Amino acid sequence: MKTFDHLTVVGLREWIALPDLGVAGLRAKIDTGASTSSLHATEIVPFEKDGETWVRFNAHLGTLVQLRHRKCEAPLVAMKTIKSSNGQSQTRYVIRTPLALGDRVWQVEFTLACRKAMRYRLLLGSKALVEGQLVVNPGLTYVQDKPSFPASSPLSSPTGAA
């Protein structure tokens, strides 16, 4: 059996933070079947800032019982057509922002989508898992400690080197 010492194990669900968006204590569902990560966002409005296209949006962070949201802004990376698990295609805004999980911080691309019918406001897809050098044990949940907020180290690679 092969083992990989340089990879970090995560469970099916983990606590994350999005430091540049001012978001902490967000439960994420780890989804190896999704390529791109997704963040629950509404009221998405593109605008110009310093000659670049940005998006302003409300990031929804709470649960169906305890609602909370935060107004956010981020540079627009792309527009992407996503095919959902039910086969429907939707064009979404894509942002790239640092994600903190455990003691690691790295850049992750997120599509902005309405996930109000979903239990988890953030889905962490396979691209983020590869870039973060993570492997998933689906029999576990909340393996990693909640990330400190603001992130205790400057933006770094998944191994912690700047």
Side-chain angles (χ1 to χ4, degrees):
M1 171 151 316
K2 290 186 178 184
T3 60
F4 302 94
D5 293 334
H6 68 284
L7 299 174
T8 298
V9 175
V10 295
L12 195 57
R13 292 177 286 284
E14 291 290 345
W15 291 103
I16 63 97
L18 303 173
D20 284 7
L21 299 181
V23 173
L26 183 58
R27 292 183 313 153
K29 170 87 183 305
I30 311 303
D31 187 351
T32 61
S35 177
T36 308
S37 300
S38 183
L39 176 64
H40 180 30
T42 60
E43 300 178 37
I44 306 164
V45 178
F47 68 98
E48 292 292 318
K49 182 175 178 178
D50 299 327
E52 295 182 13
T53 304
W54 283 53
V55 286
R56 183 175 291 122
F57 57 94
N58 281 334
H60 295 265
L61 314 168
T63 63
L64 293 173
V65 177
Q66 183 184 16
L67 300 175
R68 61 186 177 106
H69 67 277
R70 180 173 186 85
K71 292 188 184 305
C72 300
E73 293 181 355
L76 179 65
V77 172
M79 297 290 292
K80 188 179 242 182
T81 301
I82 303 291
K83 186 178 263 189
S84 69
S85 58
N86 65 12
Q88 297 210 354
S89 292
Q90 182 183 48
T91 301
R92 298 180 184 172
Y93 293 96
V94 180
I95 64 166
R96 189 169 176 87
T97 191
L99 175 132
L101 192 161
D103 62 358
R104 295 181 177 207
V105 180
W106 72 101
Q107 291 279 338
V108 173
E109 282 191 1
F110 291 94
T111 63
L112 302 179
C114 180
R115 296 183 50 80
K116 73 178 180 182
M118 308 296 181
R119 174 178 274 175
Y120 295 93
R121 301 307 191 206
L122 187 138
L123 192 86
L124 200 59
S126 61
K127 286 181 185 176
L129 299 174
V130 169
E131 291 169 358
Q133 298 181 340
L134 307 174
V135 292
V136 183
N137 181 335
L140 301 175
T141 56
Y142 305 109
V143 174
Q144 300 299 320
D145 292 333
K146 279 187 182 182
S148 58
F149 189 81
S152 58
S153 62
L155 181 61
S156 61
S157 70
T159 58

